[in-house]
Amino acid sequence: MAALGVLLTALWAMLPAYLPNSAAVVLGGGPPIDAGRTLGGRRLLGAGKTWRGLLGGATTGVGLAVALNALNPAARAVLDVALPVFPVAALLSLPLGAMVGDIAASFLKRRTGRNRGEPVPVMDQLDFVVGAVVLTALADPGWFTDVFTWPVLATVLVVTPVFHVGTNVVGYLLGLKDEPW
Ligand code: CTP
Ligand code: MG
């Protein structure tokens, strides 16, 4: 596959995993998932991981995947790339995996003594990618290996941090996020 095809495939496949985190920033708030529980004197996850963020983020990602499937034939015709169609398993696992990866990272941040919002470079940019990729590989291994070839995976790992930092800076400038990461 040509380089542009790899890039477009990587972006298209990961869009349902990219949107949930941004949607959670906008839709989040309210009761925290950990309900204030602590472990070893520290919050289990912290006040930044809420049910509204989780459900709102995941639902938004699923909605995007459904919309991308509807747009697929038109996008293929325009871009001349065999963009992936999301089966039901991937349509759920990409957004859910992204949210679970983000939550798992918060768990690790609290265990290592970091407060809410403290940056952990690399982990902050890739936690949701690892969650989405791993859950999707488990949910639909056949589709996963078809779409996420090694070049596509490598592209995802390089391009995602750039996108993530970019959207977070925009969210910060718009006053939606407390920190630019
Ligand atoms: N958010 C949410 N629920 C989630 C994920 C995110 O409500 N499951 C919202 C919260 O308002 C959070 C914001 O999105 O503050 C930004 O998310 P993130 O940067 O991941 O959280 P932090 O506040 O930085 O917390 P942590 O240190 O635990 O990552
Ligand atoms: Mg954060």
Side-chain angles (χ1 to χ4, degrees):
M1 208 191 296
L4 183 64
V6 170
L7 179 65
L8 291 173
T9 301
L11 290 178
W12 189 274
M14 288 303 288
L15 275 173
Y18 289 160
L19 189 61
N21 288 280
S22 306
V25 175
V26 179
L27 302 172
I33 296 169
D34 68 8
R37 275 192 287 270
T38 58
L39 181 65
R42 292 203 155 258
R43 284 287 290 270
L44 204 56
L45 302 173
K49 303 298 132 167
T50 68
W51 287 112
R52 252 171 46 199
L54 171 62
L55 297 176
T59 307
T60 308
V62 173
L64 178 62
V66 171
L68 289 176
N69 276 351
L71 291 171
N72 191 296
R76 276 185 190 225
V78 172
L79 301 169
D80 197 24
V81 173
L83 295 166
V85 176
F86 302 102
V88 173
L91 191 144
L92 297 171
S93 65
L94 287 164
L96 264 179
M99 302 280 16
V100 170
D102 175 59
I103 289 168
S106 282
F107 179 81
L108 292 177
K109 286 193 226 174
R110 301 299 95 82
R111 303 290 73 71
T112 52
R114 290 176 174 85
N115 292 319
R116 174 185 179 182
E118 255 186 72
V120 184
V122 183
M123 190 167 80
D124 280 337
Q125 282 78 49
L126 289 176
D127 51 19
F128 63 103
V129 174
V130 173
V133 164
V134 170
L135 197 64
T136 304
L138 294 171
D140 196 333
W143 184 81
F144 179 80
T145 46
D146 275 356
V147 174
F148 288 85
T149 57
W150 288 112
V152 168
L153 261 184
T155 304
V156 166
L157 290 180
V158 173
V159 169
T160 306
V162 178
F163 264 53
H164 190 239
V165 170
T167 53
N168 282 348
V169 168
V170 170
Y172 174 72
L173 293 175
L174 291 175
L176 295 170
K177 245 184 140 302
D178 295 336
E179 308 90 18
W181 46 77

